[in-house]
Amino acid sequence: MNHTTDRCSRLRTLHDHLTNEVKNMRESLQRAQQEGISTSAESLNTLRSLQAALNNISRELQKCPPEKSEESATEGRSQPYYAR
């Protein structure tokens, strides 16, 4: 695996993990607010930091070649059904 492919693979994994963490943290903060529990500034700052990191990773992923599964899915769509 070359350096670019390895880097992109790691970025995709990190993106998936951070996406889940941001989602979980948002849900947790929303539950706390609904229950009348005040959320700390630290929690909100952590969420903002995670969102900023996720945004940076998303920008870096745009520089990566598509995954193999994305390539084959795109190739399959470009051909008419009868030509496959």
Side-chain angles (χ1 to χ4, degrees), residues 13-24:
T13 301
L14 183 57
H15 184 273
D16 291 344
H17 288 296
L18 271 178
T19 299
N20 287 331
E21 289 301 319
V22 166
K23 179 183 172 222
N24 291 337

Side-chain angles (χ1 to χ4, degrees), residues 75-84:
E75 289 171 7
R77 281 188 224 130
S78 63
Q79 297 176 356
Y81 179 75
Y82 57 84
R84 292 185 205 164

Side-chain angles (χ1 to χ4, degrees), residues 4 7-8 15 25-26 32 35-36 41 43 45 47 54 57 59 62 69 74 76 83:
T4 302
R7 181 175 185 275
C8 291
H15 184 273
M25 189 164 207
R26 273 190 197 141
E35 294 172 2
S43 295
N45 287 335
L47 179 59
L54 187 57
I57 292 167
R59 273 188 257 133
Q62 290 175 352
S69 60
T74 305

Side-chain angles (χ1 to χ4, degrees), residues 7 13 17 32-33 39 41 48 50-51 56 67 70 76:
R7 181 175 185 275
T13 301
H17 288 296
Q33 288 175 344
T39 53
R48 285 187 196 113
L50 287 174
Q51 289 172 320
N56 289 337
E67 285 184 284
E70 290 175 15

